[in-house]
């Protein structure tokens, strides 16, 4: 597809369950970002990849959060032992390298932990 | 650490009026974005601003960047109801991109 694709769109998890969220960036885009957006808030940075290298994971809130991008394209954000405070929309964005390029966002995955 | 502050956080306007949203940031930046988000939707890119003095306009929206003051503005001219949404600025610096808290704009007839 032409845009950033995320799946699933909606996920309901029981507390303590592990979840995996997928992001397919725009083909050829080098940079990939994950954000967490709580209800009524702005997106909060989680982690950044340049190709397959995770260059910044300073925003991951705990060691229950793990992200990977093994082949430099598709990325997976995994949350282990989900908690209610993990409920949010998880947004993925990608951009082609270079100053003049913009970041394009996917539709997001709305995670609800019950 | 890169910090981004937006104000106001909430803005209620009458149709036909003008207003400005402000975005301040704490460190140098190599580009600044403005996004629009409708309820339940993802972020739609409005503008990318790259250099000091950059000004971009699209319809009733105009964005500007002052890198010396570390300030960007989004000016709304003659607002219409369709502009009701939340507007975010995002500042990119090296490998980091941080968002403001957003301005929730409501345009009333």
């Amino acid at each position: 597809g032409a845009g950033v694709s995320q799946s699933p769109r909606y996920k309901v998890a029981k507390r303590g369950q592990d979840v995996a969220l997928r992001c397919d960036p725009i083909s050829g885009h080098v940079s990939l970002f994950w954000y967490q957006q709580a209800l009524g808030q702005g997106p909060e940075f989680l982690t950044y990849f340049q190709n397959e290298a995770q260059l910044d994971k300073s925003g991951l809130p705990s060691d229950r959060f793990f992200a990977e991008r093994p082949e430099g394209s598709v990325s997976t954000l995994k949350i282990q032992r989900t908690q209610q405070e993990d409920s949010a929309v998880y947004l993925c964005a990608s951009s082609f390298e270079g100053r003049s390029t913009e970041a394009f966002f996917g539709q997001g995955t709305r995670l609800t932990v019950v | 650490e890169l910090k981004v502050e937006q104000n106001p956080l909430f803005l209620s306007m009458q149709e036909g009026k003008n207003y400005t949203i402000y975005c301040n940031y704490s460190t140098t930046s190599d580009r600044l974005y403005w996004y629009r988000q409708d309820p339940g939707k993802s972020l739609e890119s409005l503008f990318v601003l790259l250099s000091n003095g950059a000004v971009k306009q699209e319809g009733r929206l105009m964005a500007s960047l002052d890198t010396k003051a570390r300030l960007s503005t989004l000016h709304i001219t003659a607002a219409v109801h369709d502009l009701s949404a939340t507007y975010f600025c995002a500042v990119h610096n090296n490998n980091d991109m941080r968002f403001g808290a957003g301005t929730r704009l409501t345009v009333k007839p």
Side-chain angles (χ1 to χ4, degrees):
Chain A
V4 178
S5 177
Q6 289 187 246
S7 61
R9 289 289 313 278
Y10 304 92
K11 176 69 179 177
V12 178
K14 291 184 178 179
R15 192 169 55 181
Q17 188 179 353
D18 297 349
V19 298
L21 313 180
R22 178 186 169 107
C23 173
D24 281 88
I26 294 173
S27 178
H29 277 196
V30 169
S31 299
L32 186 145
F33 301 84
W34 280 100
Y35 290 85
Q36 180 189 59
Q37 187 175 23
L39 188 64
Q41 304 293 318
E44 294 284 341
F45 171 80
L46 294 177
T47 187
Y48 164 76
F49 290 86
Q50 188 174 79
N51 295 307
E52 69 279 3
Q54 189 175 20
L55 298 185
D56 188 346
K57 53 182 181 179
S58 63
L60 296 176
S62 77
D63 59 8
R64 297 186 295 105
F65 286 71
F66 173 75
E68 59 184 5
R69 195 185 184 198
E71 296 179 0
S73 56
V74 172
S75 178
T76 304
L77 176 67
K78 297 179 179 178
I79 309 173
Q80 297 176 322
R81 303 181 305 280
T82 52
Q83 305 293 316
Q84 281 192 319
E85 61 263 28
D86 300 335
S87 296
V89 174
Y90 290 85
L91 294 167
C92 174
S94 72
S95 70
F96 191 77
E97 199 157 34
R99 290 189 74 241
S100 62
T101 61
E102 61 185 283
F104 295 89
F105 280 80
Q107 296 274 56
T109 294
R110 183 178 297 274
L111 173 66
T112 304
V113 181
V114 296
Chain B
E1 181 188 344
L2 175 57
K3 293 187 178 180
V4 182
E5 290 188 359
Q6 248 180 275
N7 69 84
L9 298 183
F10 297 93
L11 178 56
S12 181
M13 298 175 63
Q14 293 289 326
E15 278 190 332
K17 298 293 187 183
N18 305 333
Y19 209 84
T20 301
I21 300 170
Y22 298 88
C23 175
N24 291 87
Y25 54 97
S26 61
T27 70
T28 57
S29 160
D30 53 44
R31 55 186 184 267
L32 186 143
Y33 301 95
W34 283 96
Y35 288 94
R36 169 181 172 145
Q37 188 176 40
D38 291 287
K41 306 291 186 181
S42 190
L43 294 122
E44 173 192 353
S45 177
L46 296 174
F47 302 107
V48 182
L49 302 170
L50 302 177
S51 58
N52 189 43
V55 177
K56 290 194 174 179
Q57 183 163 6
E58 181 72 34
R60 300 174 188 275
L61 301 178
M62 183 174 70
S64 66
L65 178 61
D66 180 343
T67 58
K68 293 180 181 178
R70 296 177 182 168
L71 170 69
S72 180
T73 61
L74 180 66
H75 188 72
I76 303 156
T77 302
V80 293
H81 179 68
D82 286 352
L83 290 180
S84 297
T86 300
Y87 293 85
F88 292 97
C89 66
V91 179
H92 189 280
N93 179 29
N94 293 324
N95 299 328
D96 203 355
M97 186 164 75
R98 305 282 171 151
F99 283 77
T103 296
R104 185 171 297 180
L105 172 65
T106 304
V107 181
K108 300 181 176 179

